[in-house]
Amino acid sequence: MPGDAKMTWKKVASEEMDRTVVVSIEGMTCQSCVKNIENNIAKEKGVLDIKVILEDNEATIKYRPSETSPPVLVEKIDNMGFEAKIKDIQGSAYSRGDNSSEAVIDIVGMTCMSCVHTIENNIGKLDGIYHISVSLEKNCAEVTFDAQKLNASKISSEIDEMGFEAKVRHSNSRNLATRIHVEGMTCQSCVRNIESHIGQKLGVIEIRVSLADKEAFIIYDPKGTNPDKLRDDIDEMGFEASLPPADVVDEFEAIASRKTSGEAECVIDIEGMTCGSCVKNIESNISSKRGIKGIKVSLENKNGVVKYDPSVTDAGKIAEMIDDMGFGATVAEGGGSTEGLATVLINIRGMTCNSCVKTIEGKMAEHPGVKNVKVSLANQEGVFVYYFNKVTPAMLCEAVDDMGFDATAADGLLNPSHVTSSIRSSASQASIGQSSVRFHADEDDMEKCFLVVRGMTCASCVATIEKNLIKVEGVKSVLVALMAQKAEVKYDPEYILPSQIATAIDDLGFSASVVEQEGDGQGVVELTITGMTCSSCVHLIESSLKKTPGILSATVALSTSTGKFVYDTEVTGPRTIIEAVKALGFDAFLLTDDDRKAARYDHRHDIRRWRNSFLLSLVFGIPAMTVMMYFMFSKPTHHHAVMGANDSNASTTPMPTNSDGHYQLMIMPGLSVENLLLFILATPVQFIGGRYFYIQAYKALKHRATNMDVLVVLATTISYTYSVIVVIVAMALEEAVSPVTFFETTPMLMVFIALGRWLEHIAKGKTSEALAKLLSLQASEAVLVDLDKEGNVIHEETIEVDLLHRGDYLKVVPGEKIPVDARVVQGSSTCDESLITGESMPVPKSVGNSVIGGSINQHGMLIIEATHVGADTTLSQIVKLVEEAQTSKAPIQNLADKIAGYFVPIVCTLSTVTLVCWVIIGYVDVRNIDPQFMEDGPVLRSEVIFQKAFQYAITVLSIACPCALGLATPTAVMVGTGVGATNGILIKGGEPLETTHKVKCVVFDKTGTITKGVPEVARVSLFVKENVCSFVKLLAIAGTAENSSEHPIAAAIVKYAKKTLATEALGKVTDFQAVPGCGLKCKVSQTETLLNNIDLAGVNNRKNQFGSMRIKIDSVSEGSGDSLSLQIENAMLMGAASSSTYEVLIGNREWMNRNGLLVSDAMDSVMTEHENQGHTAVLCAIDGVVTAMLAVADTVKSEAHLAVHCLKELGLQVILLTGDNQKTARAIAKQVGIRRVFAEVLPSHKVKKVKMLQKAGMKVAMVGDGVNDSPALAQANVGIAIGTGTDVAVEAADIVLIKNDLLDVYYAIKLSRMTVRRIRLNFLSASVYNIIGIPIAAGMFVPLGLSLKPWMASAAMAMSSVSVVSASLLLKLFHKPSKEKLLTQDYSKRYAEDQEYDNISLHRGLDEDNSGPRSSKQGSILSRLSNWRAITPGPDKRSLLDNDNPEDEIEMEETV
């Protein structure tokens, strides 16, 4: 080792140096920003010096590593409103390449100085060793090495290989840093997933992941990990990770080179981009190229603007780089220079805040003549770089003026080279026209709020809110759910607030309130606080609580005696806040809205209101009906004379009748008793009972909208007004009879509307029953306990569930609900989780198992530790998911909303046409209206005509019902999603529910979806006689040996051994040694106790039934048989007297050969058979004899074949899409009955394959569970995620299966088909009702003797809505068929055919043609987990899952 190298590591080891970090900062516009950053960061603890360079958008910070770190500094700058990222760390081992570390290793077995020299010479030759000094007296070695290339454990293993026993005593190393480029991240959930997963890895000190930069910055301890291992760890999560090139240029040199080099810009036309993924792909790849300073690609414009260093590259080379990525790229005409560009300074007056700045920059950046724009609020000016052949400064000023500002161009033009500008992503988009400019904020700047909206009755109300609210400036999108009484609004917080949105809805005539949303890591609690007397009490509480750790904000209202507190859930909780308020001398308790939320879903308030309205209407309606019926059907006796007539004429004067033939008892000329009584009954109903409808109709008409209330008001007002007018006219003319009136319409219409809406809300409550039931599952109280060190309960108290904190210990007795998601720490029991997961059987729970909040503890008492509380519990998440699903609309609902928007105006038009037509018909021939009409009778001709015309017109208004159409879809969607939720199928809204029924192709991922995703033992083959080593003895020894290894394959063998032997305790291991890529060596003892207590009958029952398939257990030795095994095992166990020690070797062929053991052809054949299927086969040697082979595989789920069969029965095409090799993919596909397979498909290619299927005209459903499946789940028409999968997959999917059961895919599709069929029937019935009902009401069937009165029409209208909702409730009859019912004879026949015939269409990658036998780039999950030697593929000899003798306990086969 050179002397200068020694000096280097000695200096580094002896001296802790201050470090310098270079941070890239975006968003600085002037020297004020520079000073702001420098002043604030300089005050941070550990910062020694800071220099910010505006021109280079960089900051160089010198800091003390013991007090702060680069990620902390970057976060501080981010919090100031800038975008910061780490570029490099200087003055550290990381940047200098000096990764020195020291370790002391104890060495046993050295006898002389020759041993010392041997170790020093051999270890000193290793790459990365700086220095080694071995001491014979101290039996140790002091080593200094490069932590990037080696670690202490590796050096210790190398010394072990030399025949000595080495053990690391301690390793002293400084924390190092590395950057890892990460591809495949799609959202912040991916970022959190990587940070949480890698942050838990051994040696990782700190990690910060940037989605925008596609980069992970990690500070790590080199004695625990290294960059290569960290990169591999990220790779294993399904992302593509890569390390930066080794020859990193010194940052100061890079800065110096940038200062001396020039900067140019070019525009590259790009063809072939199809989506945002292409844009990100080009930007991420090109931005990392040498000489590239910035790039912004536009999918809409099909081009990219690139800033580059002309001394390093040019526009042509950049186009070639993009071309090499598979896109068509050419330099745009004039795009390689700044020709045609000019710069102007425009003075802008009227800007008041940064929102004005963003508005101007965002809108003007999209102007076709503007290349770049920078606006300064402080200087009230903007610098515009523009194309002078397209636009002039005057035109630019005009465009800014149109936006409401005062703009004037400064004298003279500026040189573009003098303007500091950067490629920036536009924060907004605008279309600049000559008259107006409409602002559209970027999706990333949008926020979402939810509002509870009361007062909606039909689809017209929904359309009114959506149509008017979308016109409000700052509102991006509006989604209103009639059934859930909820609105989801996306808005720009710079323009409008949720409270203002609620006010806008209130102005439309509805009642709206904002639903508080908890942010990530934040909780909101509302308390009722008593004891406050004045404003000083308010100030005391607010100021004191804000000083409490974890409290983010505190707001107290004296008038309502309430307080609202926002807190950090990781630091504090509601219980601590209440205790803090009580400590100030006040009393506080929770103000929860759980009951209000449940009431919203079961519609209890609306049901009560309309029930009372109905009962009140009956007070007037029944007398009105009685009066009408009495005068319609009864005939008065002869002595009832007309009042005011002479007695002498009483006997000869006939009783007067009106045009309807009603006998009348006249009070005075023109006024009868009937009309007087009906007037008295109708008037209070019209103006008092109908007040609600008048207010709603007025508010709707004020905003130029119509709804059901408008029809009700029109019908009642016209009928009442007409009746009053004709009676007054008759009284004025002193007519002998009183005219026919429609006074009864108002009370009768109100009775039927109230009855209809009462029944309708009862039915609506039934549709929301599933969600209300989920809400009712939440326990209201919990028993909080304190435990001592031995786990004994020393104190317990009952508190509200909302007061629980994460980490609390709770006691749950049999029969009680589990309060929150938790982990069992004491006791065992079974839990009923049927209402949450749909699992009908009780689930056993013991120490270490997780329990779900809302499930019911059945038998034993449990002590549990809360893991998720409040909104983070599984039940809360399910409720939120179902709630959002029932808020969303199915596409077919848009048709209903569109019809509802035009329905009322059309009905009003039809009513008017009906009136005019009957008037014309009456004047042409009055007998067409009333065949009994007499010209000289008491009733005038015009009276008969207008009475009938108004009757039919009012009847049209009364019978028309947009509610039935509006309720057709949302009621069915609500019931469908609710039924799915109760069966463990979470459907995220109406659109996935509707789209699922159109699916023609179902694509399955393999690992974790079709298979279990974890390795399991698939076969055990014995190579020796039973008297040498029995099956039980093999398991005991192999399980004990592997118990000391952390390898996944070892874990599978240990798990199988413990399950089969029914024990948790195995033997003792000594002298354990594991060699990566080969296997392990150890000594096993103390297995006799285990074997003596074994239940042989139980072993024979369990050993080949573990997992989803029968495990093949056979012997390759001659003359062996199952009948012999029990006898020999018994004889062996009976003779066991003293403990024996076994020399054990487990590993691959090479490991056996290195230890002098021969692997026969028979052994090799058995191993090869499984390796060809992608399984991992290992050999086990005991005391120098190769005893057995154990095959480990990722096994298929038990229900997979049945699920595929059921999907095929529905007429669907089923495809397997996997990144695994072709052999493994073929074997798995054969087992589950899939005929079309695509193997060796990269995660990014899964999306392409889904697109290819969609281009072929198929609706595709993708079923997956992992991070790498999330892009394909998002791309598919319907993404279906397994509930046990990753958060990213669940977030990207449209349907989530709570249980890990593939049959739920079949049930989800079946439920979708039933729901869509019900929606269509509802539409049909609602349409038929209106299509037939309106013509009948209009009198078109009068010639056939069929006509309706207005009160009859109102009854029919009320019943139409009730019938539609009731029809939707029939979906509740859907039940998942049991698995036993699906196991038909037809299925058994199909299963046998699938296992016998091999007609699988196998493709490699995205190729459609069958691929030849090419080598696989990727292996199975086990191949990727292990480094064991791969075997050259050969022809399949037998299937792993062949099960010729299912009745036998052990399947025997002879290979030799």
Side-chain angles (χ1 to χ4, degrees), residues 894-973:
N894 295 328
L895 175 63
D897 291 345
K898 194 171 287 184
I899 293 173
Y902 297 103
F903 188 87
V904 175
I906 290 174
V907 169
C908 292
T909 303
L910 290 175
S911 177
T912 305
V913 170
T914 300
L915 176 68
V916 172
C917 289
W918 279 109
V919 169
I920 294 173
I921 291 171
Y923 278 106
V924 170
D925 187 356
V926 71
R927 287 183 174 78
N928 289 330
I929 294 178
D930 185 4
Q932 309 297 327
F933 176 75
M934 295 182 295
E935 289 288 349
D936 55 351
V939 182
L940 299 176
R941 180 184 182 190
S942 58
E943 181 184 339
V944 173
I945 295 172
F946 280 99
Q947 180 261 317
K948 287 294 183 182
F950 271 97
Q951 174 187 323
Y952 295 135
I954 294 170
T955 305
V956 169
L957 292 174
S958 300
I959 201 169
C961 182
C963 294
L965 279 172
L967 293 171
T969 300
T971 53
V973 168

Side-chain angles (χ1 to χ4, degrees), residues 191 334 384 420 436 589 643 725 745 785 829 862 893 1035 1058:
V191 172
F384 293 75
T420 303
S436 65
F589 52 90
M643 296 180 67
I725 291 174
T745 300
V785 298
S829 180
L862 297 175
Q893 176 67 18
L1035 279 193
K1058 288 182 176 180

Side-chain angles (χ1 to χ4, degrees), residues 752 755-756 759 1329 1353-1366:
F752 288 120
L755 175 62
L759 297 176
Y1329 163 80
S1354 63
M1357 178 270 294
M1359 291 304 104
S1360 66
S1361 297
V1362 177
S1363 63
V1364 166
V1365 180
S1366 302

Side-chain angles (χ1 to χ4, degrees), residues 1219 1221 1240 1242 1404 1414-1419 1424:
N1221 61 60
E1240 301 179 22
L1242 297 173
R1404 183 174 183 269
R1414 288 179 274 183
S1415 61
S1416 170
K1417 291 184 180 179
Q1418 291 185 334
R1424 296 195 297 272

